Amino acid sequence: MHFSIPETEQFVQNGSNAFIGYNIYINGSFHCCLRYKQLHSLHEQLKKSLANLSLPPFPPKKFLTLTQSELEQRRLGLERYLQLIGQDPVISKSNLLRTFFLNAQQESAFIDTYETTIDVFLMNGYRISVNISTTECSSKVLEKALRAIDLSEDCTYYFALFLIRKESNGNVTLLRKLLDFESPFISLRTAHDCEIVIRRNYWDSSYDLDLMRDRIALNLLYIQSISDVERGWVIANVDTRHKLSLLQASGNKSEYMSIVRNLQSYGCLNFPNVICDFPDPNTNTTIIVGNQELSIRIQVGRQMQETKFRVTRMRCWRVTTIHNDKDYDKNLKNKNRYSFELSFEYLMSKNCLRWIKLVTEQAMLISVCLQSMVDELLNQKNGYDINNIQNSHTSDLQIDYIRRDDGSVSGKMSDSASDGSINSLSELKPMTRSNEVSKMKIKKKMSTSVFFKNGKESVQNEAFENIGDDDL
């Protein structure tokens, strides 16, 4: 989980008392707005439930009114604190943290808990209508969607929910994977022109062999493969595409999969229109992530040049949020207030490391992909089963429904560790964003680095240490 707090908002309570709300972004997307005391409460709950762990220092309380400089230092301190706990392998997977931010998303979106229907799609556009609660987390919605198409429970966590955006030219942009700290219902409502789709949730294509024994799982892989071939995410020459078309027409799914699984970029994610400084500055590229690699494709005349970077040779990587306030126009729908930069340090040759920079709105997703590839490599090395891994990431959230006097229903989520509850923002009136604070912040620093585990600004690749001279 990558946290950032690029901005604040000012609120009033009871018509007079003003306080600051911190806009928290997770994996590059706005998630919730919280007060200092709510985050302090989270810190205290984590200390109690994870007493054996050493938590990072929390920004101290102040008893006097904070100056603008002190407010900025508190914002930076809270951001760093969240980034550190978000990268801790134990804390980030705790039920308490996930429940807290699931609750926070609900409060910030002013969404009551009630039963509704949400549409989840397969990659061919097939619609699955799922009856859910507005505050159910992603894993619960995934389970319901796959149960609706009769997929075996043993196959559930080989798949995941993803948020995609359909572009005006017919292309599809994969925005992010939906995780358990968020409600798909709320995330979909706050996104523009987006859909939720089901895609496979692993990198090693050998897992396909287990899934292809199940008729429904085979069909899901088959549908995704057809979509990826048609969109050019999987590269196939003219003859191979013709064979695949014939197999698709005859409905021979097993044979289709046996061919497509051996094609270049099968099972990879495609990120077009990325600005890269390799091989030259400001090069427009397409990034392909998968097969334990990050590939950079460049169109040179009629030829496509591709350079592959193995994930096991990346010593570390980092993500930087770039503030675009100077050129930002809130009236332009397609104008982003923030852009993102991913840089990774790569072992080009023995004793020769080089930083390579990518600028794209999907930098956070690429970072998450790199980390998940490393995690999968390490889990395989340790002999972990994919279902055990995925089930350990999910939490059994219980929702206690409370009916108010006016007849509306609200929900409070809890788990075995703690209820992860937060003080509601729903009774507070938002004021305009604090322009003075924002301007001061931008003058001081135009970008904010994402801090990772051990307090460093980069993800340290735990698979990097396995490189030997024979690999170079």
Side-chain angles (χ1 to χ4, degrees):
M1 297 167 65
H2 301 310
F3 288 92
S4 62
I5 308 178
E7 60 196 16
T8 61
E9 290 191 49
Q10 199 170 47
F11 290 83
V12 291
Q13 188 174 20
N14 300 325
S16 58
N17 298 327
F19 64 88
I20 298 297
Y22 296 89
N23 287 339
I24 297 172
Y25 287 65
I26 304 181
N27 294 343
S29 299
F30 173 77
H31 186 75
C32 61
C33 183
L34 294 174
R35 297 180 64 176
Y36 170 86
K37 69 177 184 179
Q38 293 170 306
L39 291 168
H40 184 267
S41 175
L42 168 65
H43 176 66
E44 293 300 317
Q45 292 178 65
L46 287 172
K47 284 200 302 185
K48 292 179 182 178
S49 65
L50 302 172
N52 59 327
L53 291 181
S54 178
L55 293 174
F58 191 84
K61 289 183 176 180
K62 302 284 186 179
F63 296 100
L64 299 177
T65 302
L66 299 181
T67 65
Q68 296 290 2
S69 177
E70 289 172 329
L71 286 171
E72 174 64 5
Q73 288 303 312
R74 172 173 282 186
R75 182 192 69 81
L76 291 172
L78 292 172
E79 182 177 64
R80 181 179 175 84
Y81 173 82
L82 290 176
Q83 288 165 350
L84 289 173
I85 67 173
Q87 288 301 313
D88 186 280
V90 176
I91 301 174
S92 63
K93 295 178 176 63
S94 70
N95 288 346
L96 190 156
L97 188 71
R98 293 171 182 232
T99 305
F100 178 88
F101 279 105
L102 185 61
N103 233 347
Q105 184 190 38
Q106 177 192 5
E107 293 288 349
S108 297
F110 305 105
I111 300 292
D112 286 330
T113 300
Y114 58 89
E115 297 298 315
T116 188
T117 301
I118 191 172
D119 290 330
V120 177
F121 295 87
L122 303 184
M123 289 303 294
N124 63 353
Y126 179 82
R127 184 198 308 265
I128 305 171
S129 294
V130 186
N131 295 321
I132 63 162
S133 163
T134 55
T135 52
E136 280 187 301
C137 64
S138 299
S139 64
K140 298 302 180 185
V141 176
L142 173 69
E143 290 171 1
K144 288 185 175 183
L146 294 178
R147 196 179 301 128
I149 58 175
D150 297 324
L151 180 71
S152 168
E153 289 186 6
D154 293 337
C155 301
T156 297
Y157 289 105
Y158 286 90
F159 298 93
L161 300 178
F162 289 82
L163 195 65
I164 67 168
R165 182 178 67 231
K166 290 190 174 182
E167 310 294 355
S168 57
N169 60 4
N171 292 336
V172 169
T173 298
L174 194 64
L175 298 178
R176 58 192 173 91
K177 186 172 104 173
L178 298 178
L179 300 175
D180 264 3
F181 58 77
E182 61 188 316
S183 154
F185 175 83
I186 298 175
S187 295
L188 188 61
R189 282 192 58 167
T190 56
H192 299 290
D193 302 320
C194 291
E195 293 180 354
I196 296 174
V197 299
I198 296 173
R199 290 182 62 89
R200 74 175 207 174
N201 189 32
Y202 54 87
W203 299 102
D204 188 346
S205 59
S206 65
Y207 289 127
D208 288 349
L209 301 177
D210 295 328
L211 291 178
M212 288 168 65
R213 298 188 185 99
D214 182 277
R215 180 177 59 87
I216 304 298
L218 169 61
N219 196 42
L220 290 175
L221 293 177
Y222 174 69
I223 289 171
Q224 178 177 319
S225 298
I226 291 175
S227 172
D228 290 356
V229 170
E230 290 176 346
R231 289 187 168 87
W233 293 9
V234 176
I235 297 177
N237 59 36
V238 175
D239 290 340
T240 303
R241 291 179 72 95
H242 179 65
K243 289 180 183 178
L244 292 175
S245 296
L246 293 176
L247 291 170
Q248 182 180 346
S250 65
N252 193 336
K253 300 175 183 179
S254 297
E255 185 62 25
Y256 185 101
M257 291 301 303
S258 68
I259 294 177
V260 78
R261 290 179 66 248
N262 292 309
L263 295 178
Q264 185 180 6
S265 302
Y266 170 75
C268 297
L269 297 184
N270 187 294
F271 302 94
N273 302 319
V274 177
I275 304 301
C276 180
D277 64 354
F278 181 91
D280 302 306
N282 298 317
T283 301
N284 195 301
T285 69
T286 295
I287 301 299
I288 310 297
V289 179
N291 297 325
Q292 300 177 17
E293 298 171 336
L294 182 151
S295 299
I296 296 178
R297 288 183 187 166
I298 306 169
Q299 189 75 39
V300 181
R302 295 184 178 181
Q303 299 296 319
M304 182 72 72
Q305 294 183 0
E306 182 169 4
T307 306
K308 297 182 178 181
F309 299 87
R310 291 164 53 187
V311 70
T312 50
R313 288 199 193 180
M314 296 179 184
R315 192 182 72 84
C316 59
W317 63 87
R318 64 186 178 214
V319 179
T320 303
T321 305
I322 310 296
H323 299 267
N324 299 324
D325 289 58
K326 183 177 179 180
D327 301 318
Y328 176 67
D329 184 346
K330 64 182 180 180
N331 296 317
L332 297 177
K333 289 185 177 180
N334 297 324
K335 183 67 176 177
N336 294 323
R337 187 170 190 177
Y338 307 103
S339 57
F340 300 95
E341 172 187 299
L342 181 139
S343 303
F344 62 90
E345 191 177 27
Y346 192 75
L347 188 61
M348 305 295 290
S349 60
K350 192 171 184 179
N351 299 323
C352 178
L353 289 162
R354 172 179 171 176
W355 281 99
I356 295 173
K357 180 175 67 177
L358 312 174
V359 178
T360 169
E361 66 170 327
Q362 296 164 293
M364 286 292 187
L365 179 55
I366 295 174
S367 175
V368 170
C369 290
L370 293 176
Q371 185 62 58
S372 63
M373 281 194 287
V374 170
D375 289 343
E376 189 170 280
L377 283 170
L378 296 175
N379 287 327
Q380 289 175 339
K381 179 182 177 182
N382 294 324
Y384 294 144
D385 175 76
I386 191 170
N387 271 308
N388 291 336
I389 296 167
Q390 295 300 331
N391 286 330
S392 70
H393 291 182
T394 62
S395 56
D396 293 325
L397 303 179
Q398 297 179 344
I399 301 179
D400 300 323
Y401 293 95
I402 303 173
R403 185 169 296 278
R404 301 193 183 108
D405 293 338
D406 61 2
S408 62
V409 177
S410 66
K412 177 180 174 182
M413 288 159 282
S414 61
D415 60 27
S416 58
S418 169
D419 65 4
S421 60
I422 63 174
N423 294 324
S424 174
L425 287 173
S426 58
E427 298 177 359
L428 309 178
K429 298 179 181 179
M431 293 176 62
T432 57
R433 192 179 310 283
S434 176
N435 290 326
E436 293 183 357
V437 175
S438 179
K439 288 179 182 177
M440 181 184 70
K441 173 182 65 177
I442 295 166
K443 286 180 182 178
K444 286 189 173 184
K445 193 171 185 181
M446 286 300 292
S447 64
T448 303
S449 292
V450 175
F451 287 85
F452 298 97
K453 58 182 76 171
N454 302 323
K456 299 179 181 178
E457 290 190 14
S458 304
V459 173
Q460 304 300 305
N461 185 355
E462 296 178 47
F464 182 80
E465 62 187 10
N466 294 325
I467 298 176
D469 291 342
D470 294 338
D471 297 317
L472 300 176

